[in-house]
Short mmCIF file of all heavy atoms in Angstrom, two decimals:
data_model
loop_
_atom_site.label_atom_id
_atom_site.label_comp_id
_atom_site.label_asym_id
_atom_site.label_seq_id
_atom_site.Cartn_x
_atom_site.Cartn_y
_atom_site.Cartn_z
N VAL A 368 -42.91 -17.92 -72.16
CA VAL A 368 -44.07 -17.82 -71.27
C VAL A 368 -44.92 -16.66 -71.77
O VAL A 368 -44.42 -15.53 -71.88
CB VAL A 368 -43.65 -17.59 -69.82
CG1 VAL A 368 -44.89 -17.46 -68.92
CG2 VAL A 368 -42.76 -18.73 -69.32
N ARG A 369 -46.18 -16.93 -72.08
CA ARG A 369 -47.08 -15.89 -72.57
C ARG A 369 -47.97 -15.40 -71.44
O ARG A 369 -48.56 -16.21 -70.72
CB ARG A 369 -47.93 -16.41 -73.73
CG ARG A 369 -47.11 -16.79 -74.95
CD ARG A 369 -48.01 -17.17 -76.11
NE ARG A 369 -47.23 -17.48 -77.31
CZ ARG A 369 -47.77 -17.69 -78.50
NH1 ARG A 369 -49.08 -17.63 -78.66
NH2 ARG A 369 -46.99 -17.95 -79.54
N ILE A 370 -48.07 -14.09 -71.33
CA ILE A 370 -48.93 -13.47 -70.32
C ILE A 370 -50.19 -12.98 -71.03
O ILE A 370 -50.13 -12.05 -71.84
CB ILE A 370 -48.23 -12.30 -69.61
CG1 ILE A 370 -46.82 -12.71 -69.15
CG2 ILE A 370 -49.07 -11.81 -68.46
CD1 ILE A 370 -46.80 -13.87 -68.19
N THR A 371 -51.32 -13.63 -70.77
CA THR A 371 -52.56 -13.33 -71.49
C THR A 371 -53.68 -13.00 -70.51
O THR A 371 -53.74 -13.58 -69.42
CB THR A 371 -52.99 -14.52 -72.36
OG1 THR A 371 -53.23 -15.66 -71.50
CG2 THR A 371 -51.91 -14.90 -73.36
N PRO A 372 -54.58 -12.10 -70.87
CA PRO A 372 -55.73 -11.82 -70.02
C PRO A 372 -56.79 -12.91 -70.16
O PRO A 372 -56.90 -13.54 -71.21
CB PRO A 372 -56.25 -10.48 -70.56
CG PRO A 372 -55.84 -10.49 -72.00
CD PRO A 372 -54.55 -11.24 -72.07
N GLU A 373 -57.54 -13.12 -69.10
CA GLU A 373 -58.60 -14.13 -69.13
C GLU A 373 -59.93 -13.54 -69.57
O GLU A 373 -60.86 -14.29 -69.87
CB GLU A 373 -58.76 -14.76 -67.74
CG GLU A 373 -57.51 -15.49 -67.25
CD GLU A 373 -57.74 -16.13 -65.91
OE1 GLU A 373 -58.88 -16.09 -65.41
OE2 GLU A 373 -56.78 -16.68 -65.35
N MET A 374 -60.02 -12.20 -69.61
CA MET A 374 -61.30 -11.56 -69.94
C MET A 374 -61.13 -10.63 -71.12
O MET A 374 -60.08 -10.02 -71.31
CB MET A 374 -61.82 -10.78 -68.72
CG MET A 374 -62.16 -11.65 -67.53
SD MET A 374 -62.56 -10.67 -66.06
CE MET A 374 -60.93 -10.07 -65.60
N SER A 375 -62.17 -10.50 -71.91
CA SER A 375 -62.21 -9.59 -73.05
C SER A 375 -62.93 -8.31 -72.67
O SER A 375 -63.73 -8.28 -71.72
CB SER A 375 -62.91 -10.25 -74.24
OG SER A 375 -62.21 -11.38 -74.67
N GLY A 376 -62.64 -7.26 -73.41
CA GLY A 376 -63.40 -6.02 -73.26
C GLY A 376 -62.93 -5.11 -72.15
O GLY A 376 -63.63 -4.13 -71.84
N LEU A 377 -61.76 -5.37 -71.55
CA LEU A 377 -61.26 -4.50 -70.48
C LEU A 377 -60.15 -3.61 -71.03
O LEU A 377 -59.26 -4.07 -71.74
CB LEU A 377 -60.75 -5.33 -69.31
CG LEU A 377 -61.76 -6.24 -68.62
CD1 LEU A 377 -61.13 -6.94 -67.43
CD2 LEU A 377 -62.99 -5.45 -68.18
N ARG A 378 -60.21 -2.35 -70.67
CA ARG A 378 -59.20 -1.40 -71.13
C ARG A 378 -57.92 -1.56 -70.32
O ARG A 378 -57.95 -1.79 -69.11
CB ARG A 378 -59.73 0.03 -71.00
CG ARG A 378 -58.82 1.09 -71.60
CD ARG A 378 -59.48 2.48 -71.47
NE ARG A 378 -59.63 2.84 -70.07
CZ ARG A 378 -58.68 3.40 -69.33
NH1 ARG A 378 -57.49 3.67 -69.87
NH2 ARG A 378 -58.91 3.70 -68.07
N ILE A 379 -56.78 -1.45 -71.00
CA ILE A 379 -55.49 -1.52 -70.31
C ILE A 379 -55.23 -0.16 -69.66
O ILE A 379 -55.02 0.84 -70.33
CB ILE A 379 -54.36 -1.88 -71.29
CG1 ILE A 379 -54.64 -3.25 -71.92
CG2 ILE A 379 -53.01 -1.89 -70.57
CD1 ILE A 379 -53.63 -3.65 -72.99
N ALA A 380 -55.25 -0.14 -68.32
CA ALA A 380 -55.12 1.11 -67.57
C ALA A 380 -53.67 1.47 -67.28
O ALA A 380 -53.31 2.65 -67.26
CB ALA A 380 -55.91 1.02 -66.26
N GLN A 381 -52.82 0.47 -67.04
CA GLN A 381 -51.42 0.72 -66.73
C GLN A 381 -50.55 -0.36 -67.35
O GLN A 381 -50.92 -1.53 -67.35
CB GLN A 381 -51.16 0.76 -65.22
CG GLN A 381 -51.87 1.87 -64.48
CD GLN A 381 -51.50 1.87 -63.00
OE1 GLN A 381 -50.33 1.86 -62.63
NE2 GLN A 381 -52.52 1.87 -62.16
N VAL A 382 -49.39 0.04 -67.88
CA VAL A 382 -48.38 -0.90 -68.38
C VAL A 382 -47.16 -0.71 -67.51
O VAL A 382 -46.58 0.38 -67.47
CB VAL A 382 -48.05 -0.65 -69.86
CG1 VAL A 382 -46.96 -1.61 -70.33
CG2 VAL A 382 -49.30 -0.82 -70.72
N LEU A 383 -46.75 -1.76 -66.81
CA LEU A 383 -45.72 -1.65 -65.79
C LEU A 383 -44.39 -2.30 -66.18
O LEU A 383 -43.45 -2.29 -65.39
CB LEU A 383 -46.22 -2.29 -64.48
CG LEU A 383 -47.56 -1.76 -63.97
CD1 LEU A 383 -47.99 -2.53 -62.74
CD2 LEU A 383 -47.47 -0.27 -63.67
N ALA A 384 -44.31 -2.88 -67.36
CA ALA A 384 -43.08 -3.56 -67.78
C ALA A 384 -42.77 -3.22 -69.23
O ALA A 384 -43.68 -3.00 -70.04
CB ALA A 384 -43.22 -5.07 -67.61
N GLU A 385 -41.49 -3.16 -69.54
CA GLU A 385 -41.03 -2.84 -70.88
C GLU A 385 -40.13 -3.95 -71.41
O GLU A 385 -39.63 -4.78 -70.64
CB GLU A 385 -40.26 -1.51 -70.90
CG GLU A 385 -41.08 -0.31 -70.46
CD GLU A 385 -42.20 0.03 -71.43
OE1 GLU A 385 -42.10 -0.39 -72.61
OE2 GLU A 385 -43.15 0.71 -71.02
N GLU A 386 -39.94 -3.97 -72.72
CA GLU A 386 -39.04 -4.95 -73.33
C GLU A 386 -37.62 -4.78 -72.77
O GLU A 386 -37.14 -3.67 -72.59
CB GLU A 386 -39.03 -4.79 -74.85
CG GLU A 386 -40.34 -5.18 -75.51
CD GLU A 386 -40.30 -5.03 -77.01
OE1 GLU A 386 -39.22 -4.71 -77.54
OE2 GLU A 386 -41.34 -5.24 -77.67
N GLY A 387 -36.99 -5.91 -72.51
CA GLY A 387 -35.63 -5.88 -71.99
C GLY A 387 -35.55 -5.93 -70.48
O GLY A 387 -34.45 -6.07 -69.92
N MET A 388 -36.70 -5.84 -69.79
CA MET A 388 -36.69 -5.88 -68.33
C MET A 388 -36.63 -7.32 -67.83
O MET A 388 -37.28 -8.20 -68.39
CB MET A 388 -37.96 -5.21 -67.77
CG MET A 388 -37.96 -3.71 -67.82
SD MET A 388 -39.50 -3.01 -67.10
CE MET A 388 -39.46 -3.74 -65.45
N MET A 389 -35.84 -7.54 -66.79
CA MET A 389 -35.87 -8.81 -66.07
C MET A 389 -36.91 -8.69 -64.97
O MET A 389 -36.93 -7.71 -64.21
CB MET A 389 -34.50 -9.12 -65.48
CG MET A 389 -33.44 -9.48 -66.50
SD MET A 389 -33.78 -11.04 -67.37
CE MET A 389 -33.74 -12.21 -66.02
N VAL A 390 -37.79 -9.66 -64.88
CA VAL A 390 -38.87 -9.62 -63.90
C VAL A 390 -38.83 -10.89 -63.05
O VAL A 390 -38.33 -11.93 -63.49
CB VAL A 390 -40.24 -9.46 -64.57
CG1 VAL A 390 -40.33 -8.14 -65.31
CG2 VAL A 390 -40.52 -10.61 -65.54
N ARG A 391 -39.38 -10.80 -61.88
CA ARG A 391 -39.47 -11.95 -60.99
C ARG A 391 -40.87 -12.56 -61.11
O ARG A 391 -41.81 -11.92 -61.58
CB ARG A 391 -39.19 -11.55 -59.55
CG ARG A 391 -40.24 -10.61 -58.98
CD ARG A 391 -39.91 -10.16 -57.56
NE ARG A 391 -40.98 -9.36 -56.99
CZ ARG A 391 -41.15 -8.07 -57.22
NH1 ARG A 391 -40.30 -7.42 -58.01
NH2 ARG A 391 -42.16 -7.41 -56.67
N GLU A 392 -41.01 -13.77 -60.68
CA GLU A 392 -42.32 -14.42 -60.70
C GLU A 392 -43.28 -13.67 -59.78
O GLU A 392 -42.96 -13.33 -58.65
CB GLU A 392 -42.20 -15.87 -60.24
CG GLU A 392 -43.50 -16.65 -60.32
CD GLU A 392 -43.31 -18.11 -59.98
OE1 GLU A 392 -42.16 -18.54 -59.75
OE2 GLU A 392 -44.32 -18.85 -59.94
N GLY A 393 -44.48 -13.37 -60.31
CA GLY A 393 -45.47 -12.64 -59.53
C GLY A 393 -45.39 -11.14 -59.65
O GLY A 393 -46.27 -10.43 -59.13
N GLN A 394 -44.39 -10.62 -60.33
CA GLN A 394 -44.25 -9.17 -60.47
C GLN A 394 -45.34 -8.62 -61.37
O GLN A 394 -45.59 -9.14 -62.46
CB GLN A 394 -42.88 -8.82 -61.05
CG GLN A 394 -42.64 -7.32 -61.22
CD GLN A 394 -41.23 -7.01 -61.65
OE1 GLN A 394 -40.31 -7.78 -61.39
NE2 GLN A 394 -41.03 -5.88 -62.32
N PRO A 395 -46.06 -7.54 -60.96
CA PRO A 395 -47.12 -6.97 -61.79
C PRO A 395 -46.57 -6.43 -63.12
O PRO A 395 -45.54 -5.76 -63.14
CB PRO A 395 -47.68 -5.84 -60.92
CG PRO A 395 -47.28 -6.19 -59.52
CD PRO A 395 -45.96 -6.88 -59.64
N LEU A 396 -47.26 -6.73 -64.21
CA LEU A 396 -46.85 -6.28 -65.54
C LEU A 396 -47.83 -5.27 -66.12
O LEU A 396 -47.43 -4.38 -66.88
CB LEU A 396 -46.72 -7.48 -66.48
CG LEU A 396 -45.77 -8.60 -66.04
CD1 LEU A 396 -45.74 -9.70 -67.09
CD2 LEU A 396 -44.38 -8.07 -65.77
N ALA A 397 -49.11 -5.43 -65.82
CA ALA A 397 -50.13 -4.51 -66.35
C ALA A 397 -51.35 -4.57 -65.45
O ALA A 397 -51.59 -5.57 -64.75
CB ALA A 397 -50.50 -4.87 -67.78
N ILE A 398 -52.13 -3.49 -65.48
CA ILE A 398 -53.38 -3.41 -64.71
C ILE A 398 -54.49 -3.03 -65.67
O ILE A 398 -54.36 -2.10 -66.47
CB ILE A 398 -53.27 -2.38 -63.58
CG1 ILE A 398 -52.20 -2.82 -62.57
CG2 ILE A 398 -54.62 -2.22 -62.87
CD1 ILE A 398 -51.96 -1.82 -61.45
N LEU A 399 -55.58 -3.79 -65.60
CA LEU A 399 -56.74 -3.55 -66.46
C LEU A 399 -57.77 -2.72 -65.70
O LEU A 399 -57.90 -2.82 -64.48
CB LEU A 399 -57.35 -4.88 -66.90
CG LEU A 399 -56.38 -5.89 -67.54
CD1 LEU A 399 -57.12 -7.16 -67.93
CD2 LEU A 399 -55.68 -5.29 -68.74
N ASP A 400 -58.50 -1.92 -66.44
CA ASP A 400 -59.53 -1.07 -65.84
C ASP A 400 -60.71 -1.93 -65.41
O ASP A 400 -61.35 -2.58 -66.25
CB ASP A 400 -59.97 -0.01 -66.84
CG ASP A 400 -60.88 1.03 -66.22
OD1 ASP A 400 -61.16 0.93 -65.01
OD2 ASP A 400 -61.30 1.96 -66.94
N ALA A 401 -61.05 -1.90 -64.12
CA ALA A 401 -62.13 -2.72 -63.58
C ALA A 401 -63.46 -1.98 -63.52
O ALA A 401 -64.43 -2.51 -62.96
CB ALA A 401 -61.76 -3.22 -62.19
N ALA A 402 -63.50 -0.77 -64.09
CA ALA A 402 -64.72 0.03 -63.98
C ALA A 402 -65.93 -0.70 -64.55
O ALA A 402 -67.05 -0.64 -63.99
CB ALA A 402 -64.52 1.38 -64.67
N SER A 403 -65.73 -1.42 -65.67
CA SER A 403 -66.87 -2.10 -66.30
C SER A 403 -67.33 -3.31 -65.50
O SER A 403 -68.44 -3.82 -65.75
CB SER A 403 -66.48 -2.53 -67.72
OG SER A 403 -65.39 -3.45 -67.68
N LEU A 404 -66.52 -3.77 -64.56
CA LEU A 404 -66.88 -4.94 -63.76
C LEU A 404 -67.61 -4.56 -62.48
O LEU A 404 -68.26 -5.42 -61.86
CB LEU A 404 -65.63 -5.75 -63.41
CG LEU A 404 -64.83 -6.30 -64.59
CD1 LEU A 404 -63.59 -7.02 -64.09
CD2 LEU A 404 -65.68 -7.23 -65.43
N LYS A 405 -67.51 -3.31 -62.06
CA LYS A 405 -68.13 -2.90 -60.80
C LYS A 405 -69.65 -3.03 -60.81
O LYS A 405 -70.23 -3.50 -59.82
CB LYS A 405 -67.70 -1.47 -60.45
CG LYS A 405 -66.22 -1.36 -60.10
CD LYS A 405 -65.83 0.07 -59.77
CE LYS A 405 -64.35 0.14 -59.41
NZ LYS A 405 -63.92 1.53 -59.10
#
């Protein structure tokens, strides 16, 4: 399963998951900076 962003040009503000982690469906993995969208 590939997790891909739908938009280009947004800075990655937070990375919430690392290799080797077990995650549940819907668990946040990363947050993009929305400043350019405001």
Side-chain angles (χ1 to χ4, degrees):
V368 179
R369 296 186 178 188
I370 311 301
T371 61
E373 298 182 5
M374 296 172 287
S375 298
L377 299 183
R378 187 178 64 84
I379 299 176
Q381 296 183 52
V382 178
L383 307 176
E385 298 293 339
E386 292 181 4
M388 285 181 56
M389 290 294 298
V390 296
R391 66 183 185 278
E392 184 175 356
Q394 180 174 334
L396 304 181
I398 296 176
L399 308 180
D400 188 0
S403 61
L404 300 177
K405 292 180 179 179

